[in-house]
Amino acid sequence: MASTSVFSALAPYGWDAAWADAFTPYDAEGLLPGRVVRVDRGQCDIVTADGALRADTAFVTPHDPLRVVCTGDWVAVEPAGNPRYVRAYLPRRTAFVRSTSSKRSEGQILAANVDHAIVAVSLALEVDLGRIERFLALAWESGAQPVVVLTKADLVPDAVTLAHLVQDVETTAPGVPVLTVSATLGEGLDVLAAVVGGGTSVLLGQSGAGKSTLANALLGEDVMEVQAARDVDGKGRHTTTTRNLLALPGGGVLIDTPGLRGVGLWDAEIGVGQVFAEIEELAEECRFHDCAHESEPGCAVLAAIDAGALPLRRLESYRKLLRENQRIVAKTDARVRAEIRKDWKRKGAEGKAAMEAKRGRWQ
């Protein structure tokens, strides 16, 4: 088992007894434990008890893009060598994955071993509730606890307007803390610091959401470069170009990520269900167990919409994300593809029967 000196050196980065136990086989081989703080073109920067070092990841880079070394991984690295190689990474506790824009629809792992997923949303522009739901679906699916942080709160000076915005986001994010922060004025940072101080957090959001500014505020110094967002659309210019892991002075670890243009789902059915928990709870009260919440009699979801208890936008977003996730899964799962084709045929037959019935009435 790793020594006491290793514990004291790596504890600020999240090392604990469970990680030490998992590392035991590699310790016997004379390898060093360390945490990946940055990955760049097949190489990575690692913090170890002996200090920071750079290593090649070629030895553990498989064809599966979800099994490459990524920021946040705990790894076993050679104590010496030129080049020096990472020999393995320890089993991940959590993994934040999205789908790529590739036609092959591969998954891309953004960060590993994350406890909190901080979704940064700028109040400089109209809040996109649908995009928040996408981020939250990926966060829940990863196994991390999501937190929504509404940044640039100083740009909404009217307290009533700000309260309405927070309420809209809270409705969109059931079970998720929603914080308002102004890094410029220093407001709300103490609450956020308390959240991120209890483990590893990853900062997510679009470019211009203020992630780097938040990171600097939590670090207490200007470590991450910050560029002004455009006045036209509030977007920045992708100041952060790699995922960087940083130990916070008040405790905890922060992973800052580049602004994400695309937030594609990757096998996130459980995450989608968590985001729309109120819809899935209502669905249990529907008359039919396979209710599609479209026009079926006894649909509790449609009844909630008619009663004003559930916004129609939520149901439409729920359907959209489920369809998208199903398409992604179908590209790699033959059984799901067959189910989709069967569903298409059923709907086609129903549509044809309805048209024939209408023609019969017209004749």
Side-chain angles (χ1 to χ4, degrees):
M1 183 178 292
S3 66
T4 304
S5 61
V6 171
F7 264 89
S8 60
L10 295 182
Y13 292 90
W15 186 258
D16 58 28
W19 288 122
D21 287 341
F23 190 78
T24 300
Y26 304 107
D27 192 26
E29 296 178 21
L31 299 175
L32 297 177
R35 194 163 196 191
V36 178
V37 299
R38 182 184 180 190
V39 178
D40 183 24
R41 298 179 182 179
Q43 293 193 317
C44 61
D45 295 325
I46 304 169
V47 59
T48 73
D50 294 342
L53 56 84
R54 192 163 179 81
D56 197 303
T57 64
F59 191 84
V60 290
T61 300
H63 295 297
D64 184 350
L66 297 182
R67 297 176 61 192
V68 299
V69 173
C70 74
T71 303
D73 271 329
W74 285 101
V75 297
V77 62
E78 295 174 343
N82 187 18
R84 188 187 311 229
Y85 287 97
V86 172
R87 287 291 174 175
Y89 63 80
L90 301 185
R92 293 162 176 158
R93 295 178 181 175
T94 62
F96 195 97
V97 181
R98 68 166 178 175
S99 67
T100 66
S101 57
S102 168
K103 292 183 178 179
R104 292 175 295 180
S105 190
E106 295 178 335
Q108 178 190 21
I109 183 164
L110 300 179
N113 303 313
V114 172
D115 300 296
H116 297 96
I118 310 298
V119 181
V121 180
S122 173
L123 291 177
L125 295 173
E126 182 178 356
V127 175
D128 186 340
L129 299 178
R131 182 167 288 271
I132 292 175
E133 288 163 344
R134 284 177 169 274
F135 274 113
L136 292 178
L138 294 179
W140 281 122
E141 190 69 31
S142 76
Q145 165 67 51
V147 178
V148 177
V149 175
L150 302 178
T151 66
K152 308 180 183 182
D154 53 290
L155 299 181
V156 187
D158 181 65
V160 175
T161 301
L162 182 59
H164 282 307
L165 288 171
V166 172
Q167 184 177 28
D168 286 344
V169 176
E170 287 177 338
T171 301
T172 300
V176 177
V178 178
L179 310 178
T180 56
V181 170
S182 170
T184 302
L185 302 179
E187 297 176 351
L189 290 173
D190 54 341
V191 179
L192 180 58
V195 171
V196 300
T200 297
S201 302
V202 61
L203 267 175
L204 305 162
Q206 288 182 284
S207 183
K211 299 186 303 301
S212 295
T213 300
L214 272 183
N216 286 337
L218 292 170
L219 287 162
E221 56 181 319
D222 293 339
V223 174
M224 308 305 297
E225 183 183 356
V226 177
Q227 294 179 345
R230 298 191 297 253
D231 292 334
V232 176
D233 54 13
K235 294 182 179 179
R237 290 171 284 176
H238 293 279
T239 304
T240 303
T241 57
T242 59
R243 285 169 281 281
N244 303 281
L245 184 147
L246 307 158
L248 299 173
V253 176
L254 185 69
I255 300 176
D256 191 19
T257 67
L260 300 177
R261 290 192 180 94
V263 193
L265 301 184
W266 177 258
D267 196 5
E269 182 177 355
I270 294 176
V272 172
Q274 188 74 37
V275 175
F276 299 94
E278 81 278 30
I279 295 179
E280 300 217 330
E281 289 175 4
L282 286 168
E284 294 179 0
E285 302 175 10
C286 291
R287 180 182 302 176
F288 304 109
H289 75 277
D290 58 348
C291 183
H293 321 306
E294 294 177 349
S295 58
E296 296 87 346
C299 176
V301 174
L302 296 180
I305 290 175
D306 291 340
L310 176 70
L312 178 60
R313 187 205 67 79
R314 286 281 284 171
L315 178 58
E316 291 174 341
S317 183
Y318 176 63
R319 290 170 174 163
K320 180 180 180 180
L321 293 185
L322 281 182
R323 287 195 302 267
E324 177 183 325
N325 189 70
Q326 191 177 44
R327 287 196 299 269
I328 291 294
V329 174
K331 291 183 178 181
T332 57
D333 191 320
R335 180 184 57 81
V336 174
R337 287 198 299 271
E339 289 178 353
I340 291 175
R341 284 195 294 269
K342 182 179 179 181
D343 189 53
W344 285 344
K345 290 180 180 179
R346 178 184 61 79
K347 289 183 177 180
E350 291 175 352
K352 183 178 180 181
M355 288 301 296
E356 290 176 349
K358 287 181 179 179
R359 290 195 189 100
R361 291 196 297 270
W362 294 338
Q363 293 176 353

